[in-house]
């Protein structure tokens, strides 16, 4: 079997060496193939659907504008069902079968973590604009770019707003967080805020993913006299926490991560879903005063069906803005499109504007994270909208 | 003309191959397996790797559920134990693969013993649900023991390498998995031909009768748990190297249920059936992926993807309805028909 | 002390749901020796159907519940006829796997029809509530307590006094003998599935009203497992009582210990209880003869 092994190894090395000299993978005379891994089935499809629809809108739009330097864009989507093992399989398939040039959808945080070794080995330019975690860029991978603050930075900025703008300094703070990576990151931001302002942290509640009932947790919070609650839930958890608080006649100020910036959260919470705050780095779909949002909504109306429009949410804006960044880098490369060039152009971005969808985006040598500025939104349950209540705040 | 297989002596009964034909086919199969990666693309090799890893685990489960008749929904839990052991040892302590694999197996076997002891008194579906509880508790422990398991952030494992040779590509890793799968199959076949295997069978058929005949039931039930979880632990370790990343999401309860459906589709109690079941169930998912993908159903009508789940469930139901003996049953039936033609039997 | 009472009462409010779900499991197990792994999914299916009904017609809560009871009985009968009856005479384990396959199918169907986004089940009781001293409960939680009591009583009367109930107990005790005594066993099975589906329907409507709908609603079926196992798989009333016990236990463990212990405390308890009583608190020990 040994000669076999050597034979295969040599063959593989030879092919890999040969590829470098040829044209970039996924790029032909008139086409660029891009890949996106998104959760399209199961509960997290709320994220993945919106994200993939935004990419679809961008694809239609960019092709209608004549493509990138004459090349049409084609996006291949793979569903990973939010399971890391399947994300990796999907990426392998897209590399092998669809021969993608770059990756512009990276699913969730641990899903990307599972794909990172392969992204690094093959040098695939990738842009993460869906779920940001510090180990995506720390240590940085040469070709993986991350846009948007971590939940930690996002919540810390949200806390700054609570204390400095709303004057909630002498309140009793508590956090409810999910027992996963995401929850831990929210907690990190919460603790940063507590430390920065010397707040009274009375309670930290950990709960399991998918938990439905929060009566014990909120009773605990009531017993501790909590007045400000930071929530590290995904979707329904925010709503249930809000409802339980209202049920227990608690008067609390509620701050959620950007996962609270979704209309289902409002809808599920009913009357309790009015007035809560969510920290986010993209505006709301209804923030038409932001030029990027107005343009995206115009395009979406043009290219998407009625039911697809209903699936849009903040992840669509993040996805569209991410595609704008990537389009810019690819356009800059001109006709001679290579992976190395795209990485170089991405790296060179300095204060790149996405028409207000993200704050200015800046990368640099060895800097693969653009923690764009955060704003705070407030929920209006009545008309199912969110309004921007703060300026963009630079994150630390 | 050969009319049947007759075992006339004890040595014939326990021999690995019953007749020369079987030996020839086995040799052909091994040769085909050795050449396969040269003909397959990287992506397909990677899929085959995934299947072979699952097969190692499912052969283990088959020893417990198929041969001994102890229904377990704890597959995901044991996989998690194995996967995490390998990931922690290789990523944090820099242990080489050839040590990590047996270590993962042993760790899972230890957990098998822990689950096995309270399960001695339980039967049937009570046992099934207890093993399910084990999976849920293991997940919780992994998330809580942050200092060892890195909690929810998961662990990236280094590239697999054995004795200095790096098995970075799927094709090179293939040969390692193939070797382990071969060992697993031989091990399982040998256990079943031995005293232990016959004790397992006796327990499955009627455990009180087995006790009456002098089989120490408690001890053999524990053997079954330990051996089975060793297999699953090794599979978990291979999985960690294959995906290069472990976190609790990769070990959900669905895996346990899938594993049981694999041995049922293949045919309970048969090692070959376990392998065929894995190929069928995972292959079905891939084929559906491909068919639905080529129908252009990836986007727009996202719901098309849910069809996959529906067809998958339907296949399980239809199988149980029409082929309770599994794929091995179909195979036996056709073989008999072929051998005895033109007579009915 | 107030804290303890609050935790206990809200624990009971969750527990009654576990109890209701558990009764469904136990009834099917008692009558047919099969654990219905699709129970949570049937519950989810009916709560989504309730959503469609409630969005098309404005019905009061009780009207909606009544319609759903009717629909779930039909769903139960159809499932029994199409999926379960053909498995008659085969290994119990195969039938259990059929329910698992069925569960996978229902999950897919629900997302195919209603999508994966969380939804609110619109009923006229919404999130209104009632206050007793320091305890505040949703109206729907109050109804849940009442409905569990009603179901327990109804089941008792049914099993004790009705002809079909007696036939069901006879079948559970010894299927072949019951068959020889002239009991139509397939009929008994069908009725058991229908009643279990009705109970699943009731718990689905309640769950939807209290927590909203989502494609992961079926996991509540798994969450009720500790209740059925603790009570003994074949004890319908045991499941109801253990459901409440588990609910209270979960809340107390979260309230006093925390760290997400709530989600696994039920499973930890059944591990311990099963070691002492392998057939649960109220289950019938199986006496084997060789």
């Amino acid at each position: 079997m040994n000669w076999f092994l050597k034979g295969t190894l040599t063959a593989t090395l030879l092919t890999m060496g040969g590829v470098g000299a040829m044209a970039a993978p996924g790029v032909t005379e008139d086409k660029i193939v891009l890949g996106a891994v998104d959760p399209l089935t199961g509960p997290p499809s709320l994220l993945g659907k919106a994200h993939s629809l935004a990419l679809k809108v961008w694809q239609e739009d960019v092709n209608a504008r004549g493509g990138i330097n004459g090349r049409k864009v084609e996006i291949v989507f793979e569903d990973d069902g939010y399971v890391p093992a399947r994300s990796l399989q999907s990426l392998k398939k897209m590399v092998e079968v669809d021969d993608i040039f770059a990756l512009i959808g990276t699913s969730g945080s641990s899903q990307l973590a599972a794909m990172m070794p392969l992204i690094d080995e093959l040098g695939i330019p990738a842009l993460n604009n869906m779920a940001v975690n510090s180990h995506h860029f720390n240590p940085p991978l040469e070709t993986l770019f991350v846009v948007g603050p971590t939940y930690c930075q996002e919540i810390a900025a949200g806390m700054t707003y609570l204390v400095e703008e709303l004057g909630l300094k002498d309140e009793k703070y508590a956090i409810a967080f999910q027992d996963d990576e995401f929850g831990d990151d929210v907690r990190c931001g919460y603790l940063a805020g507590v430390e920065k302002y010397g707040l009274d942290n009375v309670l930290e509640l950990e709960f399991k993913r998918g938990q439905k009932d929060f009566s014990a947790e909120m009773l605990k919070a009531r017993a501790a006299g909590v007045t400000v609650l930071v929530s590290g839930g995904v979707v329904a958890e925010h709503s249930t926490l809000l409802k339980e608080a209202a049920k227990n006649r608690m008067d609390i100020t509620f701050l959620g991560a950007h996962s609270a910036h979704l209309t289902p959260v409002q809808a599920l919470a009913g009357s309790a879903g009015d007035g809560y705050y969510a920290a986010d780095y993209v505006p709301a779909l209804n923030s038409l005063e932001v030029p990027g949002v107005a343009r995206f909504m115009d395009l979406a109306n043009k290219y998407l069906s009625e039911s697809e429009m209903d699936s849009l949410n903040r992840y669509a804006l993040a996805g569209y803005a991410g595609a704008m960044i990537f389009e810019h880098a690819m356009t800059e490369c001109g006709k001679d499109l290579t992976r190395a060039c795209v990485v170089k152009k991405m790296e060179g971005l300095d204060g790149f504007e996405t028409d207000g969808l993200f704050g200015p985006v800046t990368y640099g040598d060895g800097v693969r994270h653009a923690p764009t500025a955060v704003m705070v939104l407030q929920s209006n349950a009545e008309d199912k909208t969110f309004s921007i209540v703060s300026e963009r705040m630079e994150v630390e | 003309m050969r009319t049947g297989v007759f075992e006339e002596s004890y040595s014939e009964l326990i021999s690995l191959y019953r007749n020369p034909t079987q030996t020839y086919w086995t040799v052909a199969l091994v040769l085909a397996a050795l050449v396969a990666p040269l003909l397959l693309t990287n992506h397909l090799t990677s899929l085959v790797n995934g299947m072979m890893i699952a097969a190692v685990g499912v052969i283990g489960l088959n020893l417990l559920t198929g041969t001994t008749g102890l229904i377990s929904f704890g597959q995901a839990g044991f996989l998690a134990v194995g996967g995490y052991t390998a990931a922690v040892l290789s990523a944090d302590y820099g242990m080489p693969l050839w040590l990590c694999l047996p270590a993962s197996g042993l760790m899972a076997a230890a957990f098998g013993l822990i689950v096995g002891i309270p399960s001695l008194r339980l039967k049937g579906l009570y046992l099934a649900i207890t093993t399910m509880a084990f999976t849920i508790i293991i997940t919780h422990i992994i998330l809580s023991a942050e200092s060892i398991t890195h909690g929810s952030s998961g662990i990236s494992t280094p590239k697999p390498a054995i004795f200095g040779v790096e098995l970075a590509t799927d094709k090179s890793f293939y040969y390692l998995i193939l070797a382990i799968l071969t060992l697993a199959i031989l091990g399982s076949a040998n256990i079943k031909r031995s005293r232990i295997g016959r004790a397992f069978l006796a327990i499955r058929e009627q455990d009180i009768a087995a006790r009456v005949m002098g089989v120490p039931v408690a001890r053999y039930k524990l053997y079954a748990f330990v051996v089975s979880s060793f297999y699953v632990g090794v599979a978990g370790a291979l999985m960690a190297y294959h995906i290069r990343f472990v976190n609790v999401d990769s070990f959900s309860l669905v895996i346990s249920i899938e594993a049981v459906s694999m041995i049922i589709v293949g045919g309970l109690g048969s090692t070959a059936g376990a392998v065929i079941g894995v190929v069928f169930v995972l292959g079905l998912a891939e084929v559906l992926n491909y068919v639905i993908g080529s129908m252009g159903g990836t986007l727009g009508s996202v719901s098309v993807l849910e069809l996959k789940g529906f067809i998958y469930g339907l296949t399980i139901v239809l199988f149980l309805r029409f082929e309770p003996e599994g794929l091995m049953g179909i195979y036996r039936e056709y073989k008999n028909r072929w051998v005895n033609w033109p007579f009915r039997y | 002390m107030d804290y303890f009472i609050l935790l206990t009462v809200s624990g009971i409010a969750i527990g009654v749901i576990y109890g209701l779900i558990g009764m469904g499991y136990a009834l099917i197990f008692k009558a047919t020796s099969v654990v219905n792994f699709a129970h949570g999914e049937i519950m989810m299916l009916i709560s989504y159907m309730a959503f469609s009904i409630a969005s098309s017609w404005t019905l009061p809560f009780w009207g909606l519940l009544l319609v759903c009871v009717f629909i779930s009985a039909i769903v139960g009968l159809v499932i029994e006829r199409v999926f379960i009856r053909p498995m008659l005479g085969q290994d119990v384990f195969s039938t259990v796997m059929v329910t698992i396959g069925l569960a996978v199918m229902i999950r897919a169907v629900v997302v195919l029809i209603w999508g994966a986004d969380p939804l609110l089940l619109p009923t006229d009781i919404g999130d209104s509530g009632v206050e007793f001293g320091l305890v505040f409960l949703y109206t729907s939680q109050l109804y849940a307590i009442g409905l569990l009591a009603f179901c327990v009583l109804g089941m008792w009367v049914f099993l004790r006094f009705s002809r079909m109930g007696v036939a069901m107990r006879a079948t559970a005790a010894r299927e072949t003998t019951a068959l020889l005594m002239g009991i139509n066993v397939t009929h008994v099975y069908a009725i058991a599935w229908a009643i279990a589906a009705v109970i699943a329907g009731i718990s689905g409507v309640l769950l939807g009203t209290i927590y909203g709908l989502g494609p992961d609603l079926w996991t509540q079926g798994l969450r009720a497992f500790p209740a059925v196992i603790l009570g003994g798989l074949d004890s319908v009333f045991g499941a109801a009582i253990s459901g409440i016990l588990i609910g209270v236990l979960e809340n107390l463990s979260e309230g006093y210990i925390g760290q997400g212990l709530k989600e696994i405390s039920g499973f930890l308890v059944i591990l311990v209880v099963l070691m002492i009583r392998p057939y649960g608190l109220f289950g019938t020990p199986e006496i084997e003869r060789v």
Side-chain angles (χ1 to χ4, degrees):
Chain A
M1 196 155 93
N2 209 2
W3 62 270
F4 233 96
L5 205 80
K6 279 183 192 152
T8 348
L9 277 174
T10 334
T12 326
L13 285 175
L14 278 176
T15 19
M16 279 175 80
V19 166
M22 289 184 280
V27 179
T28 56
E29 201 43 47
D30 53 357
K31 201 169 77 177
I32 307 171
V33 182
L34 300 175
V37 179
D38 278 320
L40 298 173
T41 46
S45 63
L46 193 69
L47 289 62
K49 253 196 289 187
H51 187 260
S52 56
L53 286 171
L55 292 182
K56 188 180 156 193
V57 167
W58 171 72
Q59 172 191 308
E60 299 289 328
D61 176 47
V62 85
N63 289 341
R65 284 187 274 123
I68 294 173
N69 296 320
R71 294 189 178 102
K72 298 272 181 203
V73 172
E74 186 192 322
I75 306 178
V76 191
F77 294 93
E78 278 288 322
D79 167 43
D80 69 349
Y82 223 54
V83 178
R86 280 176 60 191
S87 314
L88 180 69
Q89 276 305 337
S90 304
L91 180 59
K92 278 184 179 168
K93 187 191 158 206
M94 289 197 299
V95 168
E96 176 93 11
V97 180
D98 305 306
D99 194 28
I100 56 165
F101 173 68
L103 188 68
I104 52 170
T106 52
S107 196
S109 163
S110 26
Q111 287 69 20
L112 174 57
M115 294 188 282
M116 276 166 63
L118 190 65
I119 290 176
D120 197 31
E121 270 157 40
L122 301 179
I124 308 167
L127 180 66
N128 170 15
N129 49 36
M130 277 194 88
V132 181
N133 194 291
S134 59
H135 58 235
H136 294 154
F137 51 81
N138 198 10
L141 298 187
E142 176 64 18
T143 63
L144 174 60
F145 292 84
V146 181
V147 60
T150 62
Y151 290 106
C152 184
Q153 296 169 320
E154 182 178 277
I155 287 292
M159 301 270 289
T160 305
Y161 172 79
L162 292 186
V163 175
E164 292 191 353
E165 302 293 322
L166 300 183
L168 301 170
K169 188 156 176 15
D170 303 315
E171 304 284 327
K172 293 194 164 164
Y173 277 76
I175 181 173
F177 62 104
Q178 193 159 286
D179 65 342
D180 60 4
E181 201 175 20
F182 157 70
D184 281 346
D185 216 25
V186 171
R187 178 161 171 261
C188 152
Y190 170 76
L191 292 178
V194 165
E195 178 147 357
K196 184 172 164 198
Y197 294 106
L199 303 171
D200 185 12
N201 173 19
V202 293
L203 194 61
E204 294 180 25
L205 296 160
E206 185 176 359
F207 62 85
K208 212 163 180 62
R209 186 188 315 183
Q211 183 171 323
K212 286 258 183 273
D213 192 90
F214 288 90
S215 52
E217 283 82 354
M218 286 315 277
L219 285 172
K220 222 173 166 175
R222 191 169 89 159
V226 171
T227 51
V228 181
L229 180 69
V230 173
S231 164
V234 176
V235 179
E237 294 83 2
H238 294 301
S239 323
T240 318
L241 285 168
L242 283 163
K243 269 171 81 176
E244 280 294 323
K247 185 180 98 174
N248 288 318
R249 308 283 153 84
M250 292 166 67
D251 188 18
I252 56 162
T253 307
F254 186 96
L255 172 71
H258 68 240
S259 58
H261 173 198
L262 292 168
T263 38
V265 176
Q266 281 175 330
L268 282 180
S271 55
D274 194 44
Y276 72 83
Y277 296 99
D280 201 345
Y281 54 94
V282 295
L285 285 179
N286 55 280
S287 318
L288 294 175
E289 69 278 11
V290 179
V293 179
R295 189 164 47 133
F296 174 73
M297 290 311 278
D298 270 349
L299 292 173
N301 272 319
K302 191 162 147 200
Y303 293 117
L304 297 182
S305 70
E306 191 87 5
S307 67
E308 284 173 331
M309 287 295 286
D310 288 339
S311 301
L312 295 182
N313 55 42
R314 68 160 300 282
Y315 290 96
L317 293 181
Y320 180 70
M324 279 172 72
I325 300 175
F326 215 75
E327 180 187 337
H328 174 77
M330 288 193 293
T331 314
E332 289 281 289
C333 280
K335 200 68 190 159
D336 190 22
L337 187 61
T338 61
R339 283 177 170 174
C341 172
V342 168
V343 169
K344 203 160 146 270
K345 294 294 175 197
M346 290 286 287
E347 189 176 282
L349 291 180
D350 186 8
F352 180 73
E353 284 292 345
T354 46
D355 294 340
L357 289 173
F358 290 147
V361 176
T362 304
Y363 295 108
D365 187 22
V367 181
R368 291 293 181 261
H369 180 216
T372 56
V374 173
M375 59 184 117
V376 176
L377 301 126
Q378 189 172 22
S379 147
N380 318 305
E382 193 82 332
D383 50 0
K384 295 181 184 164
T385 58
F386 289 86
S387 36
I388 302 172
V389 292
S390 82
E391 296 291 308
R392 278 204 186 260
M393 295 174 276
E394 287 304 324
V395 299
E396 286 136 38
Chain B
M1 189 183 82
R2 190 162 61 86
T3 54
V5 180
F6 301 103
E7 279 119 9
E8 292 169 338
S9 71
Y10 188 66
S11 63
E12 274 177 35
L13 182 70
I14 63 164
S15 66
L16 197 54
Y17 303 109
R18 297 248 166 101
N19 51 53
T21 328
Q22 266 191 347
T23 321
Y24 301 147
W25 278 114
T26 315
V27 170
L29 190 69
V30 169
L31 282 179
L34 284 176
V35 193
L38 298 183
L39 308 171
L40 295 174
T41 62
N42 280 324
H43 173 241
L44 284 175
T45 315
S46 173
L47 287 179
V48 173
N49 284 354
M51 282 185 188
M52 294 200 299
I53 293 170
V56 173
V58 170
I59 289 173
L61 177 70
N62 189 43
L63 280 174
L64 183 67
T65 302
T67 313
T68 322
L70 301 170
I71 304 165
S72 163
F73 285 127
Q75 184 86 351
F78 293 119
L79 273 177
V81 171
Y84 262 90
T85 310
V88 168
L89 289 181
S90 62
D92 291 349
Y93 297 93
M95 291 226 316
L97 181 135
W98 63 270
L99 264 177
C100 283
L101 283 185
S104 308
L106 289 176
M107 182 66 106
F111 272 87
L113 199 62
I114 296 173
V115 185
I117 293 170
S119 305
L120 284 177
R121 297 184 64 183
L122 304 179
K123 284 233 176 111
L125 293 162
Y126 280 98
L127 177 63
I129 292 168
T130 311
T131 49
M132 196 156 132
F134 160 72
T135 302
I136 290 170
I137 292 168
I138 276 289
T139 311
H140 190 79
I141 292 175
I142 288 174
L143 287 174
S144 320
E146 224 162 297
S147 52
I148 306 169
T149 60
H150 301 247
S152 51
S153 32
I155 309 172
S156 289
T157 52
K159 286 179 190 172
I162 192 151
F163 305 123
V165 183
E166 200 168 81
L167 307 174
T169 63
D170 284 315
K171 295 200 173 181
S172 49
F173 195 36
Y174 172 93
Y175 288 102
L176 177 72
I177 305 176
L178 181 66
I180 291 172
L181 177 63
T182 314
L183 284 179
I185 292 176
L186 284 177
S188 159
N190 277 323
I191 287 173
K192 281 204 263 185
R193 293 184 304 126
S194 70
R195 176 191 183 85
I196 303 175
R198 287 191 298 277
F200 285 174
L201 276 176
I203 293 172
R204 176 181 80 180
E205 294 307 327
Q206 197 16 285
D207 60 350
I208 295 176
R211 187 174 301 153
V212 170
M213 293 191 305
V215 176
V217 172
R219 194 197 306 167
Y220 278 100
K221 277 188 178 175
L222 287 182
Y223 278 169
F225 261 105
V226 168
V227 173
S228 154
S229 39
F230 181 87
Y231 269 89
V232 183
V234 171
L238 287 172
M239 212 170 127
Y241 282 108
H242 178 57
I243 313 173
R244 302 274 299 279
F245 177 77
V246 291
N247 82 339
V248 286
D249 293 342
S250 307
F251 307 104
S252 63
L253 257 181
V254 179
I255 293 194
S256 299
I257 291 171
E258 248 183 20
V260 174
S261 70
M262 284 168 186
I263 55 173
I264 289 184
V265 167
L268 277 173
S270 145
T271 308
V275 178
I276 294 172
V278 170
V279 173
F280 184 82
V281 171
L282 292 183
L284 178 74
E286 282 310 318
V287 169
L288 287 174
N289 246 348
Y290 178 77
V291 172
I292 285 169
S294 65
M295 274 160 37
T298 334
L299 210 75
S301 54
V302 167
S303 54
V304 174
L305 290 160
E306 298 294 338
L307 264 182
K308 209 171 77 187
F310 183 80
I311 298 174
Y312 173 65
L314 188 67
T315 314
I316 298 179
V317 170
L318 290 179
F319 242 99
L320 292 160
R321 167 77 180 82
F322 295 106
E323 255 339 302
E325 299 269 299
L327 286 166
M328 279 310 276
I330 302 184
Y331 167 70
R332 274 192 292 265
E333 191 183 311
Y334 276 89
K335 194 177 81 172
N336 286 344
R337 204 178 282 178
W338 186 252
V339 167
N340 297 327
W341 190 84
F343 306 107
R344 292 291 295 282
Y345 52 86
Chain C
M1 195 59 207
D2 284 359
Y3 186 46
F4 177 80
I5 294 172
L6 280 172
L7 284 173
T8 311
V9 173
S10 58
I12 293 174
I14 311 159
V16 291
I17 305 271
Y18 292 157
L20 269 176
I21 302 173
M23 279 174 75
Y25 281 115
L27 182 71
I28 290 190
F29 187 84
K30 189 181 174 73
T32 68
S33 316
V34 166
V35 172
N36 174 17
F37 276 89
H39 194 73
E41 280 77 2
I42 296 175
M43 183 182 81
M44 173 164 85
L45 178 69
I46 292 164
S47 62
Y48 270 95
M49 288 176 162
F51 167 81
S52 290
I53 296 165
S55 339
S56 319
W57 298 286
T58 23
L59 284 174
F61 178 80
W62 293 107
L64 179 67
L65 193 72
L66 211 65
V67 176
C68 287
V69 162
F70 184 68
I71 293 175
S72 35
I74 296 173
V75 169
L77 287 174
V78 169
I79 288 177
E80 196 274 339
R81 185 68 195 86
V82 177
F83 293 96
I84 308 300
R85 196 174 303 176
M87 301 300 294
L88 215 62
Q90 284 191 19
D91 191 29
V92 167
F93 191 39
S94 301
T95 320
V96 173
M97 284 307 295
V98 166
T99 66
I100 289 178
L102 178 66
V104 176
M105 287 164 70
I106 297 180
R107 263 177 254 160
V109 165
V110 165
V111 182
L112 270 174
I113 301 179
W114 289 279
D117 295 355
L119 299 166
L120 191 71
L121 181 59
T123 54
D124 60 342
I125 51 173
D127 37 13
S128 62
V130 188
E131 205 166 354
F132 305 95
L134 43 102
V135 185
F136 184 95
L137 287 177
Y138 292 126
T139 316
S140 42
Q141 287 179 317
L142 217 59
Y143 286 177
I145 298 175
L147 280 166
L148 177 72
F150 174 78
C151 287
V152 167
L153 195 73
M155 281 305 293
W156 184 75
V157 172
F158 170 75
L159 287 175
R160 183 102 195 149
F161 299 111
S162 81
R163 216 181 149 71
M164 185 40 91
V166 176
M168 197 172 284
R169 283 193 292 146
T171 314
R174 198 155 276 266
E175 189 189 302
T176 323
T177 317
L179 201 64
L180 292 173
M181 301 289 281
I183 291 172
N184 188 342
V185 172
T186 47
H187 212 98
V188 169
Y189 286 175
I191 296 294
W193 274 86
I195 297 176
V198 166
I199 296 177
I202 293 174
S203 34
V205 172
L206 286 168
L207 267 176
T209 315
I210 302 173
Y211 303 114
L213 304 174
D216 58 347
L217 197 66
W218 60 273
T219 51
Q220 291 302 305
L222 293 184
R223 296 291 312 278
F225 264 133
V228 219
I229 294 288
L230 183 67
L233 264 174
D234 63 346
S235 169
V236 180
F237 308 119
I241 296 167
S242 319
I244 296 175
L245 282 178
I246 298 267
V248 171
L249 177 94
E250 282 186 359
N251 256 20
L252 291 180
S253 63
E254 183 60 40
Y256 288 105
I257 307 170
Q259 256 112 51
L261 195 64
K262 171 175 172 172
E263 300 288 303
I264 60 162
S265 52
F267 287 99
L268 283 172
V269 165
I270 58 167
L271 281 188
V272 177
V273 170
L274 285 180
M275 262 188 265
I276 304 158
R277 291 183 65 94
Y279 294 96
L281 295 180
F282 307 97
T284 341
E286 194 183 319
I287 298 157
E288 282 185 81
R289 293 186 184 80
V290 184

